[in-house]
Amino acid sequence: ILFTRIKNIVTQSSLAQRFRLTGLVIMILGTIAIGRWVGEQIKNNVIKESAATTALYMDSFITPNLQELANSNSLTTEHFANLDNVLSKTDLGRQIVTIKVWGSDNSVLYSNSKSLIGRIFPYTEDLEAVRKGQIVASISNLQDPENVEERKLYSSLLEIYIPVRLSGTNKVITVAEFYRKVEGLETEIAIAQRKSWFIVVGVMTAIYLVLIGFAQWFGDRIRRQENELKNQVVQLTELLALNAELDK
């Protein structure tokens, strides 16, 4: 019944009305699609920027303390203490919930959560990607087996993997993983996404109004031309009738 009513409304409406309705539907669908895409891109960019900043800062502190992993699968007591100090005595370090240093067999060689040290966790694609030199970051819902400690206190965290290279080379000797609180990050993402929605809606509305204005102008012009043609037909008909009278 609803479909029949809509069909009747569309059938009975003028060409201009159909154009306005169709344009409105397309604009709404387009706004939703573009808005979601832009919002997701903003989210990814904010995460990447935050991850890059964190990775650069933390790498400068932790890399010197992990160089021995090029030839060993364990860290000295001194380097354990140095890594603990990084987390407790720096501003960014205090925002880090967990740090993990991964061995080649997916064992945890170091963590500020001491219960994780020595444990082996399942293979993940992120770890393999980082071992090839990439930085990987995402907001994690902490459902992986390795998140056994993090999910006790948090529902989500910014998860950042960075490759640790041997000094002076591009050789990746281990992988460091950080979990950072997301409260401020989520607020930043939400604000940026709201701004993007305002822009998308404003631009799409402006485009729709321009199209409607053009359609209205074009429709008025067609109607004027139709009226002129009708007047010409009437005049021609009257002229033909007059000629017919004169021929009698």
Side-chain angles (χ1 to χ4, degrees), residues 97-144:
V97 174
T98 310
I99 177 175
K100 300 171 189 172
V101 177
W102 292 91
S104 57
D105 60 350
N106 282 7
S107 63
V108 179
L109 304 181
Y110 168 82
S111 177
N112 58 327
S113 295
K114 303 307 179 185
S115 62
L116 297 176
I117 297 176
R119 295 185 61 177
I120 298 176
F121 292 96
Y123 159 93
T124 66
E125 293 182 359
D126 287 341
L127 271 174
E128 290 307 306
V130 180
R131 285 175 179 139
K132 295 177 182 178
Q134 301 179 34
I135 294 177
V136 177
S138 63
I139 294 179
S140 172
N141 58 9
L142 307 177
Q143 296 304 306
D144 291 336

Side-chain angles (χ1 to χ4, degrees), residues 28-204:
I28 293 173
L29 295 177
T31 299
I32 293 173
I34 295 173
R36 286 182 175 178
W37 182 83
V38 171
E40 191 64 26
Q41 295 304 306
I42 288 174
K43 177 182 176 180
N44 292 337
N45 289 337
V46 172
I47 289 174
K48 287 179 181 178
E49 183 179 347
S50 179
T53 302
T54 302
L56 181 63
Y57 186 84
M58 295 303 294
D59 183 61
S60 65
F61 285 101
I62 68 170
T63 294
N65 294 293
L66 300 177
Q67 291 301 298
E68 63 198 278
L69 294 178
N71 302 306
S72 173
N73 205 35
S74 61
L75 296 172
T76 64
T77 303
E78 177 187 358
H79 288 152
F80 260 84
N82 290 343
L83 291 171
D84 287 339
N85 288 335
V86 168
L87 296 178
S88 62
K89 296 182 179 180
T90 63
D91 290 337
L92 183 58
R94 284 188 284 270
Q95 297 179 37
I96 301 297
V97 174
T98 310
I99 177 175
K100 300 171 189 172
V101 177
W102 292 91
S104 57
D105 60 350
N106 282 7
S107 63
V108 179
L109 304 181
Y110 168 82
S111 177
N112 58 327
S113 295
K114 303 307 179 185
S115 62
L116 297 176
I117 297 176
R119 295 185 61 177
I120 298 176
F121 292 96
Y123 159 93
T124 66
E125 293 182 359
D126 287 341
L127 271 174
E128 290 307 306
V130 180
R131 285 175 179 139
K132 295 177 182 178
Q134 301 179 34
I135 294 177
V136 177
S138 63
I139 294 179
S140 172
N141 58 9
L142 307 177
Q143 296 304 306
D144 291 336
E146 62 163 293
N147 302 133
V148 59
E149 293 296 328
E150 290 85 7
R151 61 174 167 259
K152 290 179 180 179
L153 298 175
Y154 301 93
S155 59
S156 64
L157 291 168
L158 176 60
E159 182 181 45
I160 307 167
Y161 291 89
I162 66 170
V164 178
R165 292 179 168 86
L166 182 64
S167 293
T169 72
N170 286 323
K171 180 182 178 182
V172 177
I173 58 176
T174 189
V175 172
E177 180 185 12
F178 307 98
Y179 287 89
R180 184 176 176 180
K181 298 175 184 178
V182 296
E183 288 84 357
L185 185 64
E186 289 180 334
T187 300
E188 183 180 351
I189 291 173
I191 292 172
Q193 287 179 331
R194 279 198 296 271
K195 290 180 179 178
S196 72
W197 273 106
F198 284 131
I199 294 172
V200 170
V201 171
V203 170
M204 294 297 288

